[in-house]
Amino acid sequence: MIAPGTRVRVRDDWPETRGPCHIRTPHYVRGERGTVLRHLGDFANPEDLAFGRAAPRLPLYHVRFARSDLWDGGGPAADDILIEIFEPWLDEVAA
Amino acid sequence: MEKDRPRAMHDLGGVPRYMCDAVDTEPHELTGFDREVDAIRQILGMKQVMSVDELRRGIEALPEADYRRLSYYERWLCAITATLIDKTVIDEAALRSALEQAS
């Protein structure tokens, strides 16, 4: 379990380059750093459900990213982006 | 930051070419076809033949040209059909002959 406030890096992984898959971690956030806001509960892994396989329940987190870390350009400096990400996609990093 | 990686056709978050297009937030009128496809998907879910997750995988697996050409519920129907054939719930040859008889 990852505690709220923990700094994480989203795995820089591209399953869609390896073959059929269904993933819920957006292209634009992979490899990026954010902060876990809260644990939302444990849910059956959609990456398995998509193939009709037995799907273990995995912790799902709200992860907050600074918009300026994801994209350059305009917009208020304080903008952030909240994304639901399953635990296997997250690695804890030093703050 | 923008990544030099191939992008699945449905995974469009942050793609700059959409920045100048207003988002269409008007409700879309559903056709009879749309409602039928939706009903089929709900029945398949209730009978545990096929899940929403499998539907999404099927939509994402469509050839890109088809994905762009088809309407929202046409994508659903193609994905449902491919998934049911894949799971041997329906037989492709039987489906083809039924379609020929219907047309």
Side-chain angles (χ1 to χ4, degrees), chain B residues 26-85:
Chain B
E26 286 301 308
H28 291 212
E29 200 60 45
L30 290 174
T31 65
F33 169 84
D34 295 344
R35 291 176 191 280
E36 274 190 67
V37 173
D38 204 292
I40 290 168
R41 218 306 301 164
Q42 287 192 51
I43 291 164
L44 292 172
M46 279 186 246
K47 292 187 173 289
Q48 301 194 322
V49 175
M50 177 181 170
S51 68
V52 171
D53 303 87
E54 289 173 288
L55 173 71
R56 289 183 176 136
R57 175 174 71 95
I59 293 167
E60 293 161 14
L62 291 169
E64 189 157 359
D66 289 343
Y67 184 89
R68 304 224 176 278
R69 175 176 58 82
L70 298 169
S71 74
Y72 181 83
Y73 279 104
E74 285 172 338
R75 290 174 190 166
W76 278 39
L77 188 58
C78 287
I80 289 168
T81 306
T83 304
L84 294 184
I85 290 170

Side-chain angles (χ1 to χ4, degrees), chain A residues 2-91:
Chain A
I2 306 173
T6 305
R7 288 287 287 167
V8 290
R9 181 170 182 262
V10 182
R11 267 177 37 208
D12 190 10
D13 188 30
W14 306 87
E16 60 271 71
T17 63
R18 298 194 292 269
C21 66
H22 169 72
I23 53 180
R24 300 274 180 89
T25 306
H27 185 279
Y28 63 84
V29 81
R30 286 180 244 167
E32 303 291 346
R33 286 162 196 264
T35 305
V36 167
L37 196 66
R38 67 176 71 89
H39 171 232
L40 296 168
D42 297 351
F43 299 91
N45 184 4
E47 298 183 19
D48 291 315
L49 290 174
F51 290 86
R53 301 189 290 247
R57 294 172 72 79
L58 300 174
L60 182 69
Y61 300 95
H62 257 161
V63 185
R64 187 201 307 249
F65 299 86
R67 194 264 310 147
S68 56
D69 283 348
L70 302 187
W71 294 296
D72 298 325
D79 275 357
D80 56 15
I81 295 172
L82 198 58
I83 308 180
E84 293 157 14
I85 304 180
F86 280 95
E87 188 167 86
W89 280 93
L90 301 173
D91 293 316

